[in-house]
Amino acid sequence: MFKKHQQTVIVIVVSILFFVIPFINAPELQNNESFFNSLIFYKRCLENLVIVLYFYLNYFLFVPYFYRKKSYFIFIVISVIFLVFVVKVPDLIITKNDIYNALLAENPGKMRRRMMPPHSPFLMEFLIDRNAYQFYLALSIGILLKNNQYINTMKQDMLKSEVSYLKAQINPHFLFNTLNSLYALALVKSNDTPNAILKLSSIMRYVVTESSQEKVALKSELDYITDYIDLQKLRLTKHTHIDYKINGSINQQKIAPLLFIPIIENCFKYGIHQTENVIIKIHITVLGNEIILETYNKKSAKNITELEKTETGIINTQKRLDILYLNNYNLQITDTIDDYKVQLKINIK
């Protein structure tokens, strides 16, 4: 699908082509004659201007206000009226008789040997006339481009809704657990309490403000993940070991927000055990514009409903990836009875 600025460029290019292409096979060009000495040239200009005018009206007015709103009868009536306008108006302004007389004046001997071109039946003109073909093309392209624009808009709205859903999903459970951990630290007057409060404040600020943007700085996203993991550690027992690493060079790269967090969140939801030694692995590698997330955890959650929630989170993440990074990401999941491993590669160029 085309982005907004690409769509604008395409509309401009199409309108230019509608005006220019009919001149490519013009007899004047083949005979090295001047366009400006020919009445046919001026008629072509008029025909092409009418086609371009209809193309813009169709794209910006008729398709949005009638076709998209399913007022098909009105749309068809308007299209028929403009078809007649496109085909007949240039002929009314510069008639075939005008052209014939002009050519006769330029070359009387040659033109007298030719019969004046016959007029086609009224209805046949809408099937064989060159302007009619251009009209049908302008009609079709206008509908296709505007439909493409609406699809893009719907996808953007869906992405915003999904980000809002992720915010709502992340905040409550994580916030309650973190507040309980902070309360425990405060009871023992731990020196870690102020730093933990700052991390929680940073996380909430990021989720509420920056994550509403289409793209955020990769560094901000990784700082958010680091703070999230640090706060998760507050509630872990000595039986859970966290292997968290960030490798590579972080420069000015940008990425869609909150893509990694559902995967990382699942590690803490379903990979923690209170009595057995377990390891949670979270490795993030930055190779230029390629970002690689690798996670591993034991499946300590045995409840089927909880495991289904994990799958739902991954499916929602994959939907966002399909929209944001289609053909620019690779997601591999290894799901066994005891282990769960995810590798996600994204080209964020």
Side-chain angles (χ1 to χ4, degrees), residues 270 299 301-312:
Y270 312 116
K299 290 168 67 173
K302 302 300 181 182
N303 185 286
I304 294 177
T305 303
E306 289 183 343
L307 295 177
E308 286 177 349
K309 289 179 182 178
T310 302
E311 293 175 357
T312 302

mmCIF file with all atom_site columns, all heavy atoms in Angstrom, residues 270 299 301-312:
data_model
loop_
_atom_site.group_PDB
_atom_site.id
_atom_site.type_symbol
_atom_site.label_atom_id
_atom_site.label_alt_id
_atom_site.label_comp_id
_atom_site.label_asym_id
_atom_site.label_entity_id
_atom_site.label_seq_id
_atom_site.pdbx_PDB_ins_code
_atom_site.Cartn_x
_atom_site.Cartn_y
_atom_site.Cartn_z
_atom_site.occupancy
_atom_site.B_iso_or_equiv
_atom_site.pdbx_formal_charge
_atom_site.auth_seq_id
_atom_site.auth_comp_id
_atom_site.auth_asym_id
_atom_site.auth_atom_id
_atom_site.pdbx_PDB_model_num
ATOM 1   N N   . TYR A 1 270 ? 4.973  -16.086 32.377 1.00 0.00 ? 270 TYR A N   1
ATOM 2   C CA  . TYR A 1 270 ? 4.853  -17.545 32.309 1.00 0.00 ? 270 TYR A CA  1
ATOM 3   C C   . TYR A 1 270 ? 6.180  -18.277 32.445 1.00 0.00 ? 270 TYR A C   1
ATOM 4   O O   . TYR A 1 270 ? 6.220  -19.482 32.280 1.00 0.00 ? 270 TYR A O   1
ATOM 5   C CB  . TYR A 1 270 ? 4.181  -17.932 30.978 1.00 0.00 ? 270 TYR A CB  1
ATOM 6   C CG  . TYR A 1 270 ? 2.953  -17.114 30.711 1.00 0.00 ? 270 TYR A CG  1
ATOM 7   C CD1 . TYR A 1 270 ? 2.883  -16.252 29.619 1.00 0.00 ? 270 TYR A CD1 1
ATOM 8   C CD2 . TYR A 1 270 ? 1.854  -17.172 31.573 1.00 0.00 ? 270 TYR A CD2 1
ATOM 9   C CE1 . TYR A 1 270 ? 1.754  -15.483 29.395 1.00 0.00 ? 270 TYR A CE1 1
ATOM 10  C CE2 . TYR A 1 270 ? 0.729  -16.400 31.349 1.00 0.00 ? 270 TYR A CE2 1
ATOM 11  C CZ  . TYR A 1 270 ? 0.682  -15.565 30.261 1.00 0.00 ? 270 TYR A CZ  1
ATOM 12  O OH  . TYR A 1 270 ? -0.431 -14.798 30.044 1.00 0.00 ? 270 TYR A OH  1
ATOM 13  N N   . LYS A 1 299 ? 8.403  -22.951 30.416 1.00 0.00 ? 299 LYS A N   1
ATOM 14  C CA  . LYS A 1 299 ? 6.961  -22.767 30.489 1.00 0.00 ? 299 LYS A CA  1
ATOM 15  C C   . LYS A 1 299 ? 6.474  -23.227 31.870 1.00 0.00 ? 299 LYS A C   1
ATOM 16  O O   . LYS A 1 299 ? 5.977  -24.325 32.036 1.00 0.00 ? 299 LYS A O   1
ATOM 17  C CB  . LYS A 1 299 ? 6.271  -23.533 29.362 1.00 0.00 ? 299 LYS A CB  1
ATOM 18  C CG  . LYS A 1 299 ? 6.542  -22.912 27.995 1.00 0.00 ? 299 LYS A CG  1
ATOM 19  C CD  . LYS A 1 299 ? 6.120  -23.800 26.849 1.00 0.00 ? 299 LYS A CD  1
ATOM 20  C CE  . LYS A 1 299 ? 4.641  -23.980 26.768 1.00 0.00 ? 299 LYS A CE  1
ATOM 21  N NZ  . LYS A 1 299 ? 4.231  -24.707 25.546 1.00 0.00 ? 299 LYS A NZ  1
ATOM 22  N N   . ALA A 1 301 ? 4.047  -21.748 33.484 1.00 0.00 ? 301 ALA A N   1
ATOM 23  C CA  . ALA A 1 301 ? 2.586  -21.631 33.517 1.00 0.00 ? 301 ALA A CA  1
ATOM 24  C C   . ALA A 1 301 ? 1.975  -22.857 32.857 1.00 0.00 ? 301 ALA A C   1
ATOM 25  O O   . ALA A 1 301 ? 2.147  -23.088 31.673 1.00 0.00 ? 301 ALA A O   1
ATOM 26  C CB  . ALA A 1 301 ? 2.144  -20.364 32.790 1.00 0.00 ? 301 ALA A CB  1
ATOM 27  N N   . LYS A 1 302 ? 1.272  -23.654 33.623 1.00 0.00 ? 302 LYS A N   1
ATOM 28  C CA  . LYS A 1 302 ? 0.674  -24.885 33.103 1.00 0.00 ? 302 LYS A CA  1
ATOM 29  C C   . LYS A 1 302 ? -0.807 -24.725 32.795 1.00 0.00 ? 302 LYS A C   1
ATOM 30  O O   . LYS A 1 302 ? -1.412 -25.576 32.166 1.00 0.00 ? 302 LYS A O   1
ATOM 31  C CB  . LYS A 1 302 ? 0.856  -26.026 34.125 1.00 0.00 ? 302 LYS A CB  1
ATOM 32  C CG  . LYS A 1 302 ? 2.329  -26.303 34.474 1.00 0.00 ? 302 LYS A CG  1
ATOM 33  C CD  . LYS A 1 302 ? 3.131  -26.689 33.238 1.00 0.00 ? 302 LYS A CD  1
ATOM 34  C CE  . LYS A 1 302 ? 4.581  -26.995 33.613 1.00 0.00 ? 302 LYS A CE  1
ATOM 35  N NZ  . LYS A 1 302 ? 5.399  -27.319 32.419 1.00 0.00 ? 302 LYS A NZ  1
ATOM 36  N N   . ASN A 1 303 ? -1.373 -23.605 33.249 1.00 0.00 ? 303 ASN A N   1
ATOM 37  C CA  . ASN A 1 303 ? -2.794 -23.376 33.009 1.00 0.00 ? 303 ASN A CA  1
ATOM 38  C C   . ASN A 1 303 ? -3.045 -23.094 31.527 1.00 0.00 ? 303 ASN A C   1
ATOM 39  O O   . ASN A 1 303 ? -2.403 -22.240 30.922 1.00 0.00 ? 303 ASN A O   1
ATOM 40  C CB  . ASN A 1 303 ? -3.264 -22.171 33.853 1.00 0.00 ? 303 ASN A CB  1
ATOM 41  C CG  . ASN A 1 303 ? -4.763 -21.961 33.743 1.00 0.00 ? 303 ASN A CG  1
ATOM 42  O OD1 . ASN A 1 303 ? -5.232 -21.496 32.724 1.00 0.00 ? 303 ASN A OD1 1
ATOM 43  N ND2 . ASN A 1 303 ? -5.481 -22.317 34.797 1.00 0.00 ? 303 ASN A ND2 1
ATOM 44  N N   . ILE A 1 304 ? -3.973 -23.813 30.921 1.00 0.00 ? 304 ILE A N   1
ATOM 45  C CA  . ILE A 1 304 ? -4.225 -23.692 29.487 1.00 0.00 ? 304 ILE A CA  1
ATOM 46  C C   . ILE A 1 304 ? -4.677 -22.283 29.138 1.00 0.00 ? 304 ILE A C   1
ATOM 47  O O   . ILE A 1 304 ? -4.265 -21.716 28.128 1.00 0.00 ? 304 ILE A O   1
ATOM 48  C CB  . ILE A 1 304 ? -5.290 -24.715 29.044 1.00 0.00 ? 304 ILE A CB  1
ATOM 49  C CG1 . ILE A 1 304 ? -4.745 -26.139 29.204 1.00 0.00 ? 304 ILE A CG1 1
ATOM 50  C CG2 . ILE A 1 304 ? -5.707 -24.470 27.595 1.00 0.00 ? 304 ILE A CG2 1
ATOM 51  C CD1 . ILE A 1 304 ? -5.745 -27.220 28.867 1.00 0.00 ? 304 ILE A CD1 1
ATOM 52  N N   . THR A 1 305 ? -5.519 -21.669 29.983 1.00 0.00 ? 305 THR A N   1
ATOM 53  C CA  . THR A 1 305 ? -6.009 -20.324 29.706 1.00 0.00 ? 305 THR A CA  1
ATOM 54  C C   . THR A 1 305 ? -4.862 -19.326 29.661 1.00 0.00 ? 305 THR A C   1
ATOM 55  O O   . THR A 1 305 ? -4.809 -18.446 28.800 1.00 0.00 ? 305 THR A O   1
ATOM 56  C CB  . THR A 1 305 ? -7.025 -19.891 30.783 1.00 0.00 ? 305 THR A CB  1
ATOM 57  O OG1 . THR A 1 305 ? -8.081 -20.842 30.815 1.00 0.00 ? 305 THR A OG1 1
ATOM 58  C CG2 . THR A 1 305 ? -7.583 -18.513 30.466 1.00 0.00 ? 305 THR A CG2 1
ATOM 59  N N   . GLU A 1 306 ? -3.901 -19.466 30.583 1.00 0.00 ? 306 GLU A N   1
ATOM 60  C CA  . GLU A 1 306 ? -2.755 -18.561 30.596 1.00 0.00 ? 306 GLU A CA  1
ATOM 61  C C   . GLU A 1 306 ? -1.912 -18.726 29.347 1.00 0.00 ? 306 GLU A C   1
ATOM 62  O O   . GLU A 1 306 ? -1.426 -17.750 28.769 1.00 0.00 ? 306 GLU A O   1
ATOM 63  C CB  . GLU A 1 306 ? -1.910 -18.815 31.851 1.00 0.00 ? 306 GLU A CB  1
ATOM 64  C CG  . GLU A 1 306 ? -2.575 -18.363 33.140 1.00 0.00 ? 306 GLU A CG  1
ATOM 65  C CD  . GLU A 1 306 ? -1.673 -18.576 34.343 1.00 0.00 ? 306 GLU A CD  1
ATOM 66  O OE1 . GLU A 1 306 ? -0.710 -19.354 34.216 1.00 0.00 ? 306 GLU A OE1 1
ATOM 67  O OE2 . GLU A 1 306 ? -1.920 -17.949 35.385 1.00 0.00 ? 306 GLU A OE2 1
ATOM 68  N N   . LEU A 1 307 ? -1.725 -19.976 28.924 1.00 0.00 ? 307 LEU A N   1
ATOM 69  C CA  . LEU A 1 307 ? -0.932 -20.221 27.719 1.00 0.00 ? 307 LEU A CA  1
ATOM 70  C C   . LEU A 1 307 ? -1.636 -19.676 26.479 1.00 0.00 ? 307 LEU A C   1
ATOM 71  O O   . LEU A 1 307 ? -0.993 -19.194 25.543 1.00 0.00 ? 307 LEU A O   1
ATOM 72  C CB  . LEU A 1 307 ? -0.661 -21.721 27.567 1.00 0.00 ? 307 LEU A CB  1
ATOM 73  C CG  . LEU A 1 307 ? 0.217  -22.345 28.661 1.00 0.00 ? 307 LEU A CG  1
ATOM 74  C CD1 . LEU A 1 307 ? 0.342  -23.841 28.441 1.00 0.00 ? 307 LEU A CD1 1
ATOM 75  C CD2 . LEU A 1 307 ? 1.589  -21.701 28.695 1.00 0.00 ? 307 LEU A CD2 1
ATOM 76  N N   . GLU A 1 308 ? -2.960 -19.733 26.479 1.00 0.00 ? 308 GLU A N   1
ATOM 77  C CA  . GLU A 1 308 ? -3.706 -19.169 25.352 1.00 0.00 ? 308 GLU A CA  1
ATOM 78  C C   . GLU A 1 308 ? -3.535 -17.654 25.299 1.00 0.00 ? 308 GLU A C   1
ATOM 79  O O   . GLU A 1 308 ? -3.461 -17.057 24.227 1.00 0.00 ? 308 GLU A O   1
ATOM 80  C CB  . GLU A 1 308 ? -5.188 -19.523 25.469 1.00 0.00 ? 308 GLU A CB  1
ATOM 81  C CG  . GLU A 1 308 ? -5.483 -20.983 25.127 1.00 0.00 ? 308 GLU A CG  1
ATOM 82  C CD  . GLU A 1 308 ? -6.949 -21.333 25.333 1.00 0.00 ? 308 GLU A CD  1
ATOM 83  O OE1 . GLU A 1 308 ? -7.671 -20.501 25.929 1.00 0.00 ? 308 GLU A OE1 1
ATOM 84  O OE2 . GLU A 1 308 ? -7.349 -22.430 24.911 1.00 0.00 ? 308 GLU A OE2 1
ATOM 85  N N   . LYS A 1 309 ? -3.444 -17.013 26.468 1.00 0.00 ? 309 LYS A N   1
ATOM 86  C CA  . LYS A 1 309 ? -3.208 -15.575 26.507 1.00 0.00 ? 309 LYS A CA  1
ATOM 87  C C   . LYS A 1 309 ? -1.852 -15.235 25.902 1.00 0.00 ? 309 LYS A C   1
ATOM 88  O O   . LYS A 1 309 ? -1.687 -14.219 25.231 1.00 0.00 ? 309 LYS A O   1
ATOM 89  C CB  . LYS A 1 309 ? -3.283 -15.063 27.956 1.00 0.00 ? 309 LYS A CB  1
ATOM 90  C CG  . LYS A 1 309 ? -4.685 -15.050 28.547 1.00 0.00 ? 309 LYS A CG  1
ATOM 91  C CD  . LYS A 1 309 ? -4.651 -14.548 29.970 1.00 0.00 ? 309 LYS A CD  1
ATOM 92  C CE  . LYS A 1 309 ? -6.039 -14.576 30.605 1.00 0.00 ? 309 LYS A CE  1
ATOM 93  N NZ  . LYS A 1 309 ? -5.988 -14.128 32.018 1.00 0.00 ? 309 LYS A NZ  1
ATOM 94  N N   . THR A 1 310 ? -0.864 -16.091 26.157 1.00 0.00 ? 310 THR A N   1
ATOM 95  C CA  . THR A 1 310 ? 0.461  -15.885 25.572 1.00 0.00 ? 310 THR A CA  1
ATOM 96  C C   . THR A 1 310 ? 0.367  -15.901 24.055 1.00 0.00 ? 310 THR A C   1
ATOM 97  O O   . THR A 1 310 ? 0.924  -15.046 23.364 1.00 0.00 ? 310 THR A O   1
ATOM 98  C CB  . THR A 1 310 ? 1.424  -16.998 26.039 1.00 0.00 ? 310 THR A CB  1
ATOM 99  O OG1 . THR A 1 310 ? 1.487  -16.986 27.458 1.00 0.00 ? 310 THR A OG1 1
ATOM 100 C CG2 . THR A 1 310 ? 2.812  -16.783 25.471 1.00 0.00 ? 310 THR A CG2 1
ATOM 101 N N   . GLU A 1 311 ? -0.351 -16.892 23.519 1.00 0.00 ? 311 GLU A N   1
ATOM 102 C CA  . GLU A 1 311 ? -0.502 -16.994 22.065 1.00 0.00 ? 311 GLU A CA  1
ATOM 103 C C   . GLU A 1 311 ? -1.231 -15.776 21.504 1.00 0.00 ? 311 GLU A C   1
ATOM 104 O O   . GLU A 1 311 ? -0.888 -15.275 20.430 1.00 0.00 ? 311 GLU A O   1
ATOM 105 C CB  . GLU A 1 311 ? -1.261 -18.280 21.726 1.00 0.00 ? 311 GLU A CB  1
ATOM 106 C CG  . GLU A 1 311 ? -0.487 -19.544 22.063 1.00 0.00 ? 311 GLU A CG  1
ATOM 107 C CD  . GLU A 1 311 ? -1.313 -20.800 21.839 1.00 0.00 ? 311 GLU A CD  1
ATOM 108 O OE1 . GLU A 1 311 ? -2.492 -20.659 21.472 1.00 0.00 ? 311 GLU A OE1 1
ATOM 109 O OE2 . GLU A 1 311 ? -0.783 -21.912 22.026 1.00 0.00 ? 311 GLU A OE2 1
ATOM 110 N N   . THR A 1 312 ? -2.235 -15.292 22.235 1.00 0.00 ? 312 THR A N   1
ATOM 111 C CA  . THR A 1 312 ? -2.976 -14.118 21.777 1.00 0.00 ? 312 THR A CA  1
ATOM 112 C C   . THR A 1 312 ? -2.067 -12.906 21.682 1.00 0.00 ? 312 THR A C   1
ATOM 113 O O   . THR A 1 312 ? -2.131 -12.133 20.717 1.00 0.00 ? 312 THR A O   1
ATOM 114 C CB  . THR A 1 312 ? -4.152 -13.818 22.728 1.00 0.00 ? 312 THR A CB  1
ATOM 115 O OG1 . THR A 1 312 ? -5.007 -14.960 22.783 1.00 0.00 ? 312 THR A OG1 1
ATOM 116 C CG2 . THR A 1 312 ? -4.934 -12.604 22.253 1.00 0.00 ? 312 THR A CG2 1
#
